[in-house]
Amino acid sequence: MTDDVTGRSNYGLREDIQAFWSERAATFDEFPGHEIFSDAERRAWHRLLTRHLGPANGRAALDLASGTGVISHLLDDLGFRVTGLDWSEAMIAKARAKAASRGRSIAFRLGDAERILEDDASFDVLVTRHLVWTLVDPAACFREWSRVLKPGGTLLVVDGDFVRSSLAERLLARLEAVLPGWARAAAAPSLPAALLQRHRDILSRVHFKDGARAEDIASMLGEAGFVDIGIDTRLGAIHRAQARHMPFPKGLARQVQHRYAVTARKPQT
């Protein structure tokens, strides 16, 4: 199977994605927007999850592309019975170590979010954060996610368009370039140039290479058979909390980017 845009094999692209995130694992939790750095952000995430998933009541939740387990821990906080799935062995190792250090009973498994080795109708809820933009074949993937959800189960996709910037973002980037002192008060970690280039290369080859817009994801979920699809852009409390740990211009940009939560439900029958 080949990627129609580049002519490269999807296998090669998927392996590149796996290797990239494995290398990111060592410093993943150092970046605001990945790990949680304040109680204010944690509470804001809890409100978002509860708003869309309802009371946990011990229901089974699958955190896809779980990374170091940030969303898994939030779901565990709320009382879900959580399984985290990630394709990177390095991420899974970090996630298991973090859960052990916090005394959490979260099951972390090595696995591919596009080809889930779980039984049909295994989970009440399925949550992803910043995964959809990396998908090679989102249409097939969404059908796979529906398969592992129980009838009536809920999907929550938290993501953003990290390609197309708004006018406000472009203005902030220009100000940051001409006024670098803005960033000095709160220096943030950054990726080495080689990793940034690999990120750009991967982005140029995935399905959403032109940006993952909420409306496009919602449309594809409908085509995959999901119902009651909604788009929520009320993520301001999360982004304001994250911005406090970022350089000033980047914190402002975080609050004007196209970031969203898309919810959908698997039909009862």
Side-chain angles (χ1 to χ4, degrees), residues 25-263:
T27 59
F28 184 84
D29 285 344
E30 297 176 9
F31 287 73
H34 291 177
E35 182 56 283
I36 292 172
F37 288 83
S38 69
D39 288 338
E41 184 183 352
R42 184 172 292 103
R43 290 192 298 270
W45 274 107
H46 286 161
R47 289 194 295 272
L48 177 73
L49 294 169
T50 301
R51 183 160 76 235
H52 293 297
L53 303 178
N57 297 329
R59 288 182 294 153
L62 178 62
D63 176 16
L64 278 178
S66 53
T68 63
V70 177
I71 299 300
S72 295
H73 282 256
L74 292 168
L75 292 166
D76 186 65
D77 291 342
L78 295 172
F80 286 94
R81 181 164 42 88
V82 186
T83 298
L85 188 76
D86 201 278
W87 205 17
S88 162
E89 291 185 15
M91 286 287 192
I92 288 292
K94 293 272 288 188
R96 287 171 175 163
K98 185 192 295 186
S101 71
R102 296 179 181 177
R104 302 297 186 99
S105 57
I106 302 171
F108 287 103
R109 301 175 186 168
L110 185 67
D112 183 355
E114 296 196 50
R115 300 168 183 170
I116 304 168
L117 300 179
E118 300 284 347
D119 293 337
D120 294 356
S122 295
F123 298 96
D124 299 287
V125 303
L126 191 158
V127 181
T128 78
R129 181 184 68 161
H130 302 168
L131 165 64
V132 166
W133 73 269
T134 71
L135 296 177
V136 173
D137 187 350
C141 189
F142 295 161
R143 292 192 296 271
E144 174 73 349
W145 294 358
S146 176
R147 181 187 67 78
V148 299
L149 274 173
K150 296 177 182 178
T154 301
L155 168 67
L156 173 61
V157 172
V158 181
D159 222 290
D161 182 348
F162 309 123
V163 179
R164 285 177 284 185
S165 57
S166 65
L167 175 61
E169 289 177 78
R170 294 195 294 273
L171 288 173
L172 286 168
R174 293 190 66 180
L175 284 171
E176 186 177 7
V178 299
L179 299 172
W182 259 18
R184 290 176 189 159
S190 59
L191 291 180
L195 270 181
L196 279 173
Q197 183 54 48
R198 285 172 59 190
H199 181 276
R200 295 188 191 103
D201 177 67
I202 289 169
L203 181 58
S204 72
R205 297 156 59 197
V206 295
H207 178 89
F208 290 113
K209 62 185 178 62
D210 296 321
R213 307 298 290 185
E215 296 80 7
D216 295 335
I217 292 170
S219 176
M220 294 183 75
L221 288 172
E223 292 170 2
F226 285 92
V227 297
D228 298 337
I229 301 166
I231 297 171
D232 183 1
T233 57
R234 296 170 293 164
L235 278 65
I238 293 172
H239 298 152
R240 286 191 296 273
Q242 292 172 347
R244 296 188 184 101
H245 299 273
M246 295 176 171
F248 183 62
K250 284 184 169 52
L252 286 178
R254 176 59 55 98
Q255 298 176 69
V256 298
Q257 290 166 340
H258 180 63
R259 292 173 178 257
Y260 47 82
V262 178
T263 54

Side-chain angles (χ1 to χ4, degrees), residues 2-10 13 201 204-206 209:
T2 59
D3 182 334
D4 293 337
V5 176
T6 65
R8 304 185 193 188
S9 71
N10 281 342
L13 172 55
D201 177 67
S204 72
R205 297 156 59 197
V206 295
K209 62 185 178 62

